Amino acid sequence: QVQLVESGGGLVQAGGSLRLSCAASRRTFSSYAMGWFRQAPGKEREFVAAISWRGSTTHYADSVKGRFTISRDNAKNTVYLQMNTLKPEDTAVYYCAAYRTSGWSISSSTSTYDYWGQGTQVTVSS
């Protein structure tokens, strides 16, 4: 079992920045690929970014490419999402997620992930 706890959400003006953190409980955190997803009111949960277990491979949704950066610190059992140039359409609850992998894989599909955090609210005002 892996417990994930997100933090760092809040209210920010358009054009501003936030950094989300996701702390994992498991010592074998480095064996897990990690992802960030978001869900706006009335919409389905959507992929934002993913990172391989070693951190060497990343993937982003087109809507955030060039503005968001995913990274991880396996020594701290933490994954980050740096969000710059935020837009009102980025407003959502942001979730981190994990799945165990022995390879270099990353995934943009919600069904691949086995563990989810409780989410953190990000609100971007215009």
Side-chain angles (χ1 to χ4, degrees), residues 84-100:
N84 298 329
T85 319
L86 282 161
K87 304 175 181 180
E89 51 263 43
D90 295 318
T91 295
V93 177
Y94 283 71
Y95 299 89
C96 72
Y99 69 96
R100 189 179 180 94

Side-chain angles (χ1 to χ4, degrees), residues 3-92:
Q3 292 184 327
L4 304 172
V5 179
E6 301 97 334
S7 61
L11 174 64
V12 64
Q13 288 189 333
S17 298
L18 282 174
R19 187 176 83 155
L20 305 183
S21 298
C22 174
S25 62
R26 190 143 178 110
R27 289 184 300 170
T28 55
F29 173 73
S30 60
S31 299
Y32 291 80
M34 303 295 296
W36 285 97
F37 294 78
R38 66 187 182 187
Q39 188 166 18
K43 295 187 176 182
E44 292 187 354
R45 192 168 298 188
E46 65 175 5
F47 169 75
V48 175
I51 189 166
S52 60
W53 70 271
R54 187 173 284 184
S56 56
T57 303
T58 59
H59 178 54
Y60 297 92
D62 288 343
S63 59
V64 306
K65 201 170 293 183
R67 299 188 298 122
F68 291 11
T69 302
I70 188 171
S71 61
R72 65 190 296 162
D73 185 338
N74 287 342
K76 295 182 178 179
N77 287 4
T78 302
V79 63
Y80 305 97
L81 185 68
Q82 178 66 45
M83 305 185 296
N84 298 329
T85 319
L86 282 161
K87 304 175 181 180
E89 51 263 43
D90 295 318
T91 295

